[in-house]
Amino acid sequence: MTLTAPTTHPPIPWTRVCALEDILPGTGVCALIHGQQVAVFRVGGRVYATGNRDPYTGANVLSRGLTGSYTVSGETRVKVASPLLKHAFDLESGLSLDDPSVSVPVYAARTEGGDVWTGSLA
């Protein structure tokens, strides 16, 4: 399977989400940014941000999902599985691993000065 990223939102301006230490490794948190729920994950020493809404159920739960890794074409990638029906999404592209026609939005995310920042939603 070849993964291609859906359109991402503009990464500027940046919005502070929380301190990096507020997110336990391998977990996520939910942030309300400009009225939108964003799931922010800390996995493998990096941070990722996606929409929090599970497109299969319509519930805002992805920040509570189980994170892990998978391999595609010899490359190790990271994913989150929804806590409801366990549908998995690639954290970099937002694509569903169960149905590539389904995806969640992805946002730029970074750490700076011990804080987690995400690109603001347009």
Side-chain angles (χ1 to χ4, degrees):
M1 162 174 46
T2 301
L3 296 175
T4 56
T7 303
T8 59
H9 292 273
I12 297 175
W14 293 92
T15 300
R16 182 187 178 279
V17 175
C18 63
L20 180 61
E21 67 185 27
D22 291 339
I23 308 173
L24 295 173
T27 68
V29 297
C30 182
L32 188 62
I33 301 174
H34 300 290
Q36 298 292 316
Q37 290 191 27
V38 176
V40 181
F41 300 93
R42 179 180 176 186
V43 182
R46 290 189 55 197
V47 292
Y48 304 88
T50 69
N52 196 39
R53 183 180 173 275
D54 178 346
Y56 290 99
T57 65
N60 287 303
V61 295
L62 289 183
S63 63
R64 294 298 189 189
L66 302 172
T67 61
S69 63
Y70 70 102
T71 303
V72 62
S73 302
E75 179 185 0
T76 301
R77 300 183 61 92
V78 290
K79 65 179 179 179
V80 62
S82 172
L84 297 180
L85 300 178
K86 307 300 185 240
H87 290 105
F89 300 90
D90 182 280
L91 285 177
E92 290 185 29
S93 70
L95 288 175
S96 168
L97 302 183
D98 302 298
D99 179 354
S101 70
V102 177
S103 65
V104 294
V106 294
Y107 305 99
R110 70 178 191 203
T111 58
E112 183 179 307
D115 292 325
V116 176
W117 297 77
T118 187
S120 295
L121 310 180

